[in-house]
Amino acid sequence: MTYCGHFAPSPTGWLHFGSLVAAVGSWLCARHAGGQWLLRVEDIDPPREVAGSAQAILAALPSFGLVADAPALYQSRRRPAYDAAFEQLRAADLVFPCWCSRAQLAGEGGLHRDGRCIALPDSGRPPAWRLRVPDVTVAFDDALQGPQRQNLREVAGDFVIRRVEGYYAYQLACVVDDAFQGITEVVRGNDLLDSTPRQIWLQRCLGLPTPAYRHLPLALDAHGRKLSKSERAHPVDPARPLPALRRALAFLDVQTSEVADCPAALLDAALERFDPARLPRLASRTL
């Protein structure tokens, strides 16, 4: 099978250093394998989106030498695909409507379990829709973080796949689009490691293939906090790409050329020395 990787930013702010690390790491893995590198804009949460940020992120990537092999896929245009997946789950009785609030679930540790709702149905407002989660443990080997095991009932419970507002949840959209784009390895930040068992379970429920996973260390600030686009922390400047690109490669322990004078040359030199097995096997790193 031909390798296919991707970078999938959410348009909640401008490109920051943590996202650049994920983009560079996924690009290197794809090019090292002689495969494709695709883009996906995860714009399925309009209340959190920052106007113009999707276009700004996509416009910035080529400045860092990161050029995709196809036009970006926008999740906001994929509603029919998510509707079809939802109907497949509903036809199999794997989802149910839920009117439970977070406050009502607080006494259950914030989790909804066994398909049992605390709140009664309310015809006056729309429900969220949850996936029925059995007492099952999902195990997988992450290429960097090692063997992983998670009991879905105890850790995630019956998780939401369609919100009250009608927006599809990240977990459902992600697995549908990974399959649609033919992604064979997901290379992303370690903050999403905990979501992976839910995605693998959804893949099984929908009969979709499960890609390999490689979760890169999170970039933390001096206070141990994750870099966040919404906090505007550590923005990268497309007009001066080399300093940030060198920092991103150093963060990933990738050797580069000191004499490279443009992003393309720097990435070419890095790719010659790149070995995915030598990426740091860390959960996080402080800048």
Side-chain angles (χ1 to χ4, degrees), residues 9-15 41 43 46 48-61 74 229 232 238:
S10 299
T12 54
W14 315 126
L15 188 69
V41 178
D43 54 345
R48 295 183 62 241
E49 292 169 19
V50 174
S53 62
Q55 293 77 11
I57 291 171
L58 295 181
L61 291 173
Y74 285 80
K229 293 187 288 288
R232 305 293 194 271

Side-chain angles (χ1 to χ4, degrees), residues 16-17 29 53 65 67 90 98 120 158 161 180 188 232 234 238 268:
H16 68 92
F17 181 75
C29 287
S53 62
V67 178
R90 184 156 67 171
C98 176
L120 295 174
D158 304 321
I161 63 166
F180 176 74
R188 59 190 181 187
R232 305 293 194 271
H234 295 274
D268 285 345

Side-chain angles (χ1 to χ4, degrees), residues 183-203:
I183 303 303
T184 60
E185 183 179 52
V186 174
V187 181
R188 59 190 181 187
N190 198 42
D191 53 331
L192 292 169
L193 181 66
D194 185 64
S195 292
T196 306
R198 278 171 279 173
Q199 293 170 12
I200 292 174
W201 186 249
L202 265 174
Q203 289 156 1

Side-chain angles (χ1 to χ4, degrees), residues 152-235:
L152 286 182
R153 182 184 180 276
E154 297 303 317
V155 176
D158 304 321
F159 56 92
V160 172
I161 63 166
R162 195 169 79 183
R163 292 160 45 183
V164 170
E165 305 92 336
Y167 303 132
Y168 282 104
Y170 164 75
Q171 311 295 357
L172 180 71
C174 177
V175 302
V176 170
D177 288 340
D178 280 349
F180 176 74
Q181 291 187 294
I183 303 303
T184 60
E185 183 179 52
V186 174
V187 181
R188 59 190 181 187
N190 198 42
D191 53 331
L192 292 169
L193 181 66
D194 185 64
S195 292
T196 306
R198 278 171 279 173
Q199 293 170 12
I200 292 174
W201 186 249
L202 265 174
Q203 289 156 1
R204 294 175 184 173
C205 291
L206 291 166
L208 299 176
T210 295
Y213 290 95
R214 188 184 302 269
H215 285 85
L216 303 170
L218 278 185
L220 305 180
D221 66 15
H223 303 286
R225 297 175 301 200
K226 186 185 85 167
L227 298 185
S228 167
K229 293 187 288 288
S230 60
E231 295 169 356
R232 305 293 194 271
H234 295 274

Side-chain angles (χ1 to χ4, degrees), residues 213-278:
Y213 290 95
R214 188 184 302 269
H215 285 85
L216 303 170
L218 278 185
L220 305 180
D221 66 15
H223 303 286
R225 297 175 301 200
K226 186 185 85 167
L227 298 185
S228 167
K229 293 187 288 288
S230 60
E231 295 169 356
R232 305 293 194 271
H234 295 274
V236 293
D237 184 1
R240 298 182 62 252
L242 280 176
L245 187 56
R246 288 187 183 279
R247 286 176 61 215
L249 291 165
F251 182 89
L252 293 171
D253 289 343
V254 179
Q255 295 182 349
T256 61
S257 167
E258 295 298 326
V259 298
D261 58 358
C262 69
L266 186 62
L267 287 176
D268 285 345
L271 191 57
E272 289 179 1
R273 300 166 171 82
F274 179 68
D275 180 354
R278 295 180 181 175

Side-chain angles (χ1 to χ4, degrees), residues 36 66 68 125 217 250:
Q36 285 191 311
L66 303 170
R125 60 188 178 94

